[in-house]
Amino acid sequence: LWLQWMMLAIVIALALLGSLIFAAPSSNTTICFVVVAGILLLGGHLNAIALQQTEPLTSLIYAVYFIIPQLEIFDVRDLVIHDQQLLGWLDCLGASLYAAVYTGFFLLAAWLVFRRKPLSA
């Protein structure tokens, strides 16, 4: 449950940043949904895709792979469903620190964008 909340913190911080960048709430919702779904569905497979490409594209795909937040590390539903051993405290602490860094980065970026916006319309 804790890891799901940590993943949600990253997604909320990303949505907050998006709400400052995109004009309409509908475009922010759509773009954030596509980004999060893309990370969850394809993000873990980018390293395998990078191995099949030629060199300039390989480096670019690896850079994207290591820059995007790896949201699949917070999804431990399979461990619970298949009655496997749960993660240890150190693993949860590491994942929490990982989430705190990405959440902090998105919130810092949102603060920097908000600072530049005029408050009067």
Side-chain angles (χ1 to χ4, degrees):
L1 186 63
W2 175 255
L3 293 177
Q4 292 291 316
W5 280 103
M6 292 292 100
M7 181 177 72
L8 187 61
I10 295 173
V11 172
I12 288 172
L14 178 66
L16 181 65
L17 175 62
S19 72
L20 293 170
I21 294 173
F22 303 113
S26 59
S27 62
N28 181 34
T29 303
T30 304
I31 291 172
C32 286
F33 176 75
V34 169
V35 167
V36 170
I39 289 173
L40 286 173
L41 295 175
L42 300 174
H45 303 290
L46 282 179
N47 58 349
I49 294 170
L51 291 175
Q52 300 171 356
Q53 305 301 320
T54 59
E55 179 42 45
L57 193 56
T58 300
S59 299
L60 179 68
I61 293 174
Y62 267 128
V64 169
Y65 175 72
F66 287 112
I67 289 173
I68 63 171
Q70 303 296 320
L71 296 177
E72 66 270 1
I73 66 172
F74 301 103
D75 188 19
V76 292
R77 290 177 295 176
D78 288 338
L79 297 177
V80 174
I81 291 171
H82 298 297
D83 200 26
Q84 296 176 353
Q85 183 178 359
L86 296 178
L87 298 176
W89 288 107
L90 288 177
D91 295 329
C92 286
L93 178 66
S96 297
L97 289 174
Y98 182 82
V101 168
Y102 268 103
T103 303
F105 171 74
F106 288 137
L107 290 177
L108 178 68
W111 174 70
L112 291 173
V113 170
F114 184 72
R115 247 179 36 163
R116 303 287 182 198
K117 293 229 180 238
L119 294 179
S120 61

